[in-house]
Amino acid sequence: MAEERPSAAATASASSGIGIGDGGGRLLRRSSGSRGSRRLPLPDFLQSVNLKYVKLGYHYLVTHLITLTLVPLMLGVAIEVGRLGPEDIHQLWIHLKFNLVSVMTCSALLVFAATVYFMSRPRSVFLVDYACHKPSPNIRVPFASFMEHSKLSGSFDDKSLEFQRRILERSGLGEQTALPPAMHYLPPRPSMDAARQEAETVMFSALDELFHKTGVKPKDVGILVVNCSLFNPTPSLSAMIVNKYKMRGNIRSYNLGGMGCSAGVIAIDLAKDMLQVHGNDYAIVVSTENITQNWYFGNRRSMLIPNCLFRVGGAAMLLSNRRSDRRRAKYELLHTVRTHKGADDKSFRCVYQEEDENSKMGVSLSKDLMAIAGQALKTNITTMGPLVLPLSEQIIFFSFLVARKVFKRAVKPYIPDFRLAFHHFCIHAGGRAVIDELEKNLQLTAEHVEASRMTLYRFGNTSSSSIWYELAYIEAKGRMRKGNRVWQIAFGSGFKCNSAVWRALRTIKASEKGPWADCIDQFPVAIPEVYDFS
């Protein structure tokens, strides 16, 4: 009943960068060496604002300037025309009837304006539906079983076993999370064949449900994007899906590897860009991680945390740019904002897959992980602010910014209230500490982070798919109303912080077959600071 080795955990680890600093982040700091060292908290990123990222956000906003200027202009013309009486319209017709130049000029201007508007306007991208894999009950991993298998495997010394126990106690995970079948043997049996079976079970179950729910046939799909960080076989995972469902020969398929837990948002962004180019098409995104061949069997503490946090999970999403799908789609994609800190060496190496001193492969987590994650998040939300904040908040924020940057006034930076921009928050369930810090720094309520906490508790850190289990939780609770805006945010190795913003197109009812269908009434549950499973 072993756990994922750092390979898969690496990816997950990387991605869960902040996430992995979770309960483990605390322990990692305390036991890795220096006496009296303490875990560095997530920086108070809301207390400083970098002007260049604000400018980047406004740059995104200005790209839609034509729309913002033409719509009011057309509205003004319509109002003026509405004020004309029958006599005025008759006089205008007589004037235009005998003035060919005016008619041709007006017509040309209208055609030009309409052409520019429709050609510059991006296609709307809709999330028709999605499905999450629900692991079988027979591969669940209670804490006591996890510790027993770890001990009997013979891979860990006493100090490492105690370290893992302390991580589990503070992790925020519950007793129903799952590991792949290969890790339940003694000794564990990781192999390429077992890893393929894990990938097929997770991906195909989610896709089967997705095709059933939407009624879309596999051959109707023109774009396929799969992300899995640490398991990249040949043929690829995307090829496995094409083969299984006999998809068409000209499908545009992509396989994203090594991008950590934030790769789910990257995959959505890639699918969105492809749907801007190819009209009247469907795109499927599959987000997963593979544990079987990515389990750490050594004793370096900075590499043991992923074993305790990462669990089996995956999700499949169907996107469409067809206008006819708007009526049945659940959400419309409004924005994707990607932040990459890889140019900085510390950020690049803070989650790093490598071999330990005994040539055991794993993912090493830097002690600076939380601080680096906080900087990436600060950059991301500063860029996104101008795109999502209501006008009142933007005016106040911009006024304070001008006072500080232009007039050099010693005024405290104004921190916008992101609760005014979003109704729901899906924070990657990478670890307990990160959820705690984001709740505090973004001034969120317990209900705002409930989906993230309960997902971590029920399913564990499922890497890039965790934000979809969280969205499913919100829907299962009956909280998603038409017009609600959702912020999905994830972190990954590199180091990256990526966001996706969705708007609900209708009030969404709980799914009868969702991952929470048989247990939603049991949640939320109280999660103790330290879970005693002895």
Side-chain angles (χ1 to χ4, degrees), residues 63-131:
T63 57
H64 300 287
L65 190 60
I66 294 178
T67 301
L68 295 175
T69 53
L70 280 181
V71 169
L73 180 62
M74 295 171 68
L75 185 60
V77 171
I79 292 174
E80 288 299 320
V81 171
R83 291 177 178 175
L84 296 177
E87 185 61 30
D88 296 322
I89 295 176
H90 181 68
Q91 290 297 327
L92 180 62
W93 169 251
I94 293 174
H95 174 72
L96 293 177
K97 186 177 180 180
F98 297 102
N99 194 335
L100 183 61
V101 175
S102 297
V103 172
M104 294 297 293
T105 302
C106 289
S107 300
L109 286 174
L110 287 173
V111 171
F112 175 75
T115 302
V116 170
Y117 173 73
F118 285 108
M119 289 187 66
S120 63
R121 188 178 65 169
R123 288 189 175 97
S124 296
V125 174
F126 307 110
L127 175 62
V128 179
D129 213 331
Y130 65 97

Side-chain angles (χ1 to χ4, degrees), residues 29 33 141 156 204 251 496:
R29 218 74 77 222
V141 189
F156 310 105
F204 296 166
I251 190 171
K496 299 181 287 293

Side-chain angles (χ1 to χ4, degrees), residues 65-372:
L65 190 60
I66 294 178
T67 301
L68 295 175
T69 53
L70 280 181
V71 169
L73 180 62
M74 295 171 68
L75 185 60
V77 171
I79 292 174
E80 288 299 320
V81 171
R83 291 177 178 175
L84 296 177
E87 185 61 30
D88 296 322
I89 295 176
H90 181 68
Q91 290 297 327
L92 180 62
W93 169 251
I94 293 174
H95 174 72
L96 293 177
K97 186 177 180 180
F98 297 102
N99 194 335
L100 183 61
V101 175
S102 297
V103 172
M104 294 297 293
T105 302
C106 289
S107 300
L109 286 174
L110 287 173
V111 171
F112 175 75
T115 302
V116 170
Y117 173 73
F118 285 108
M119 289 187 66
S120 63
R121 188 178 65 169
R123 288 189 175 97
S124 296
V125 174
F126 307 110
L127 175 62
V128 179
D129 213 331
Y130 65 97
C132 299
H133 168 71
K134 187 170 182 178
S136 172
N138 62 3
I139 60 170
R140 289 177 180 172
V141 189
F143 289 163
S145 298
F146 178 93
M147 292 306 304
E148 181 185 6
H149 278 68
S150 295
K151 181 178 181 179
L152 295 177
S153 70
S155 299
F156 310 105
D157 58 30
D158 290 341
K159 290 184 178 179
S160 295
L161 289 170
E162 179 59 23
F163 180 70
Q164 291 179 79
R165 171 183 291 276
R166 289 156 56 196
I167 292 177
L168 285 173
E169 289 175 342
R170 295 161 175 80
S171 65
L173 272 68
E175 300 271 17
Q176 293 185 316
T177 61
L179 285 175
M183 310 313 295
H184 288 260
Y185 291 98
L186 280 174
R189 300 179 184 176
S191 65
M192 174 62 76
D193 184 57
R196 286 183 184 275
Q197 289 181 22
E198 179 193 350
E200 290 175 356
T201 299
V202 172
M203 295 191 305
F204 296 166
S205 68
L207 285 167
D208 286 346
E209 183 182 344
L210 182 66
F211 287 129
H212 175 74
K213 288 166 69 173
T214 61
V216 172
K217 298 178 181 178
K219 287 189 178 294
D220 294 335
V221 178
I223 301 163
L224 173 64
V225 183
V226 180
N227 70 269
C228 182
S229 286
L230 295 178
F231 181 57
N232 293 288
T234 299
S236 67
L237 297 178
S238 59
M240 290 167 60
I241 294 173
V242 172
N243 176 259
K244 163 70 175 179
Y245 294 98
K246 310 305 176 188
M247 292 177 160
R248 63 198 202 200
N250 64 344
I251 190 171
R252 301 167 187 87
S253 63
Y254 302 87
N255 210 91
L256 306 181
M259 305 191 81
C261 301
S262 67
V265 177
I266 297 173
I268 291 291
D269 186 56
L270 174 58
K272 178 196 73 174
D273 289 344
M274 293 299 295
L275 288 172
Q276 296 303 314
V277 178
H278 304 282
N280 199 38
D281 210 345
Y282 285 117
I284 279 185
V285 174
V286 178
S287 295
T288 187
E289 192 46 80
N290 193 284
I291 296 175
T292 298
Q293 283 194 313
N294 295 291
W295 191 262
Y296 179 57
F297 291 95
N299 290 291
R300 186 189 291 184
R301 295 188 180 181
S302 63
M303 294 181 173
L304 283 170
I305 299 173
N307 284 16
C308 300
L309 296 182
F310 285 90
R311 297 294 187 267
V312 171
M317 290 66 69
L318 177 66
L319 304 179
S320 173
N321 58 13
R322 304 183 182 194
R323 293 184 182 179
S324 58
D325 282 323
R326 184 184 186 93
R327 294 190 301 274
R328 67 169 181 149
K330 284 187 171 182
Y331 302 92
E332 180 180 3
L333 181 60
L334 301 182
H335 308 288
T336 51
V337 177
R338 294 169 56 179
T339 301
H340 203 309
K341 291 290 186 178
D344 175 70
D345 289 341
K346 268 191 174 183
S347 299
F348 176 72
R349 296 188 64 91
C350 74
V351 179
Y352 202 77
Q353 185 178 15
E354 59 184 346
E355 293 179 334
D356 65 10
E357 53 279 0
N358 296 314
S359 300
K360 302 289 186 181
M361 185 67 72
V363 176
S364 176
L365 305 180
S366 164
K367 64 181 181 180
D368 300 319
L369 180 60
M370 293 289 283
I372 290 169

Side-chain angles (χ1 to χ4, degrees), residues 457-493:
Y457 180 85
R458 173 61 183 84
F459 294 100
N461 183 346
T462 61
S463 190
S464 57
S465 64
S466 69
I467 54 178
W468 298 103
Y469 287 91
E470 293 163 16
L471 188 60
Y473 179 89
I474 296 169
E475 293 180 4
K477 281 292 183 181
R479 297 173 182 170
M480 190 64 67
R481 298 286 184 267
K482 181 178 180 179
N484 283 183
R485 291 209 288 182
V486 185
W487 180 13
Q488 290 181 324
I489 185 164
F491 308 90
S493 56

Side-chain angles (χ1 to χ4, degrees), residues 11-55:
T11 245
S13 207
S15 191
S16 138
I18 343 191
I20 285 197
D22 175 18
R26 243 170 260 164
L27 296 171
L28 174 62
R29 218 74 77 222
R30 200 179 303 154
S31 32
S32 75
S34 59
R35 195 182 292 174
S37 63
R38 302 170 71 183
R39 178 177 65 86
L40 297 175
L42 191 68
D44 193 0
F45 47 83
L46 290 180
Q47 294 306 312
S48 62
V49 175
N50 194 320
L51 181 59
K52 67 179 181 179
Y53 299 120
V54 178
K55 290 168 64 179

